[in-house]
Amino acid sequence: MINKFTAIAFILLLVSCASKGPKTTFSEVSEIKQEDFTPPKQRKYRKSDDIYTTIKSKYSSALNAESLERVIHYDGDYEIKSHFSQIVSACYEGDFKKAFNLVRSTNRKYLENPIYWNQIGTCYMLEGSYRKSLLFYNRALSLKSDYPPAFNNLGVMYMKQRDYSRALVAFKKARSLGQFSKTPRYNLANLYLNFGLYEKALNEIMPLYTDDSEDVDVLNILAVGHLMKNNPQKSLEYFKKIDQSFMELPRLGVNYSLALYLFGDKDQAKDILNDIELKNADKNWREYYQSVAQYIGVK
């Protein structure tokens, strides 16, 4: 049903102004100064550096303190204050050249900081370079063996490789470490739902839900979980909390249409299905759309 997973991306809150790395090529010997041989002061890990506080994004609200990916996806507001967030936001936007230029210009400062290596791992994962991604996630864990974001992101990487058993282990490990447990809970719920384990999915996602939540993906997981339980009425309670403009997306609208049909609102079910935009949908969602369309009588 749902196949979107979120990689954790963290932000450094208290830093000095951004600066360029040391110059590495010189046209004249006279240009070389003593400070070019002086290693920069290391910016070591602090828990307070690992939390976002400058995000305004109601549609991804459940994970805003831990993750930037869905904030960008839903066009939320956020401030880029650190090298960490500059690097990973560029990668989420697909500008890998910019991201890796930032890596090259800043890496001497963060050699002992697991946040930094975790972010680089995420960039390589988004680029599809999984072997490099694994290398950098392991580097982060070598610096901090109980670092939840790296375990979570290993789970995301394994999901992309369809290695579901390893993904399950990685997500559970990240969740068990306590701090930053919301995102691995979210990813576990997605994983369980993909395999029809709706009770496990609902148990994982409920701690992320609040009555006034507008988080699109949390509400969708709850709605689909109850739809799988054959409870369309409860399913619709959650679907109707989602901004209806999102129902043009296949990953939301198809199941919403099915829930409406099963509840007995057949005309609205057909209207919702007819309004779904399939232009950019992948093969699985196109096939699922056709199955539901046939079932509810939409040509």
Side-chain angles (χ1 to χ4, degrees):
M1 294 282 187
I2 303 168
N3 56 13
K4 184 180 177 185
F5 286 79
T6 302
I8 300 179
F10 296 102
I11 188 169
L12 185 64
L13 300 177
L14 303 175
V15 296
S16 59
C17 295
S19 60
K20 294 182 179 179
K23 190 174 182 179
T24 56
T25 59
F26 305 91
S27 58
E28 300 289 343
V29 172
S30 60
E31 294 183 26
I32 303 176
K33 300 177 182 179
Q34 182 61 36
E35 53 262 35
D36 294 315
F37 297 95
T38 304
K41 183 178 180 180
Q42 289 296 303
R43 307 286 182 85
K44 295 187 178 181
Y45 175 79
R46 296 180 301 178
K47 286 183 180 180
S48 60
D49 295 338
D50 237 349
I51 302 171
Y52 287 107
T53 62
T54 57
I55 289 176
K56 295 180 180 179
S57 177
K58 63 182 180 180
Y59 298 131
S60 61
S61 58
L63 307 182
N64 281 350
E66 294 184 3
S67 175
L68 186 59
E69 181 176 5
R70 292 192 308 134
V71 176
I72 293 174
H73 177 77
Y74 290 118
D75 296 323
D77 294 327
Y78 64 97
E79 294 182 44
I80 296 179
K81 291 186 176 182
S82 73
H83 293 139
F84 299 157
S85 56
Q86 290 171 22
I87 290 167
V88 82
S89 64
C91 290
Y92 282 133
E93 292 167 0
D95 193 345
F96 297 106
K97 181 178 180 180
K98 176 182 177 181
F100 291 122
N101 282 337
L102 285 166
V103 169
R104 282 188 286 272
S105 68
T106 60
N107 59 31
R108 295 177 74 221
K109 296 180 180 180
Y110 304 112
L111 297 176
E112 300 174 25
N113 197 313
I115 305 174
Y116 186 71
W117 300 111
N118 179 59
Q119 301 294 53
I120 297 173
T122 295
C123 283
Y124 278 118
M125 178 178 64
L126 293 170
E127 190 183 48
S129 302
Y130 299 130
R131 293 181 68 180
K132 291 180 181 179
S133 178
L134 178 62
L135 176 68
F136 287 104
Y137 288 144
N138 283 335
R139 173 59 178 161
L141 290 170
S142 74
L143 294 169
K144 185 172 173 56
S145 61
D146 60 347
Y147 190 50
F151 281 113
N152 176 82
N153 292 344
L154 281 170
V156 176
M157 183 192 74
Y158 289 135
M159 282 299 305
K160 289 179 177 290
Q161 296 175 302
R162 298 187 179 183
D163 190 344
Y164 303 117
S165 59
R166 286 186 181 180
L168 179 64
V169 171
F171 290 144
K172 283 186 173 182
K173 177 66 174 178
R175 183 196 58 187
S176 71
L177 293 170
Q179 191 182 21
F180 313 117
S181 63
K182 291 182 178 180
T183 304
R185 276 192 175 277
Y186 168 84
N187 286 333
L188 274 170
N190 269 300
L191 177 57
Y192 286 139
L193 208 59
N194 270 279
F195 284 92
L197 302 173
Y198 50 81
E199 291 289 2
K200 287 181 176 290
L202 292 172
N203 287 337
E204 289 293 344
I205 206 67
M206 276 306 295
L208 306 184
Y209 171 73
T210 60
D211 288 339
D212 60 348
S213 174
E214 294 183 65
D215 189 297
V216 174
D217 300 304
V218 169
L219 291 168
N220 188 47
I221 291 171
L222 287 164
V224 174
H226 284 288
L227 183 59
M228 287 181 171
K229 287 183 69 173
N230 197 27
N231 189 344
Q233 181 175 359
K234 189 68 174 178
S235 176
L236 289 173
E237 289 180 19
Y238 294 112
F239 272 131
K240 290 182 178 180
K241 289 176 180 277
I242 299 173
D243 187 309
Q244 295 299 289
S245 64
F246 289 110
M247 293 307 171
E248 294 181 0
L249 301 174
R251 68 183 181 86
L252 297 167
V254 177
N255 284 319
Y256 180 39
S257 173
L258 182 58
L260 286 166
Y261 184 85
L262 293 174
F263 184 64
D265 196 343
K266 299 182 179 181
D267 290 338
Q268 188 179 2
K270 293 177 181 179
D271 289 341
I272 293 295
L273 201 65
N274 283 325
D275 288 340
I276 290 173
E277 179 56 63
L278 290 174
K279 182 178 180 181
N280 297 318
D282 64 25
K283 180 182 177 182
N284 290 335
W285 278 108
R286 288 176 179 273
E287 291 177 352
Y288 183 51
Y289 175 95
Q290 293 300 329
S291 296
V292 173
Q294 184 177 7
Y295 179 72
I296 70 174
V298 172
K299 296 181 179 180

